[in-house]
C-alpha cells in the first residue's frame, strides 16, 4: 500500500501521559527512530484513565486517524470487564 499523505500512519501515544515504565520507554525509543513526517502522534488533550480512556480510544481516536493505519501499543479493556481475572473479555 502506498500513500501520498504526509503522515503515513498514526500512533496512539496516550500511554505517554502515565508514569514512565518499560512500555513508555519502548514507545519513546521507537518514536525517536521513526522517520520524521512519517507518523502522526495521537493523544487526548488531557490525561485519561478508566472508562474515559476507553471511550476516547473507541470514539475520538478512530476519527483522528481518518482511515490511516493506526498503531496502538497500549492495552485496554472494556470498562469494568474482568478486573483482575487475567482473561480477555
Amino acid at each position: 500500500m502506498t500513500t501520498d499523505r504526509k503522515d503515513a500512519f498514526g500512533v496512539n501515544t496516550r500511554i505517554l501521559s502515565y508514569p514512565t515504565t518499560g512500555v513508555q520507554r519502548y514507545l519513546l525509543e521507537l518514536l525517536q527512530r521513526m522517520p520524521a513526517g512519517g507518523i502522526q502522534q495521537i493523544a487526548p488533550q488531557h490525561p485519561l484513565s478508566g472508562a474515559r480512556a476507553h471511550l476516547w480510544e473507541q470514539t475520538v481516536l478512530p476519527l483522528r486517524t481518518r482511515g490511516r493505519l493506526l498503531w496502538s501499543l497500549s492495552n485496554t479493556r472494556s470498562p469494568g470487564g474482568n478486573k483482575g481475572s487475567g482473561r480477555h473479555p
Side-chain angles (χ1 to χ4, degrees), residues 12 14 51-63 70 76-79:
N12 179 359
R14 180 180 67 85
R52 288 181 182 213
H54 184 75
L55 182 63
W56 180 86
E57 286 188 339
Q58 296 299 310
T59 58
V60 177
L61 184 59
L63 294 173
L70 172 66
T76 60
R77 64 172 176 244
S78 20

Side-chain angles (χ1 to χ4, degrees), residues 8 12 22 26 35 37 43 52 64-65 72 79 82 85-86:
N12 179 359
Y26 181 70
R52 288 181 182 213
R64 294 197 45 206
T65 308
S72 185
N82 294 329
S85 70

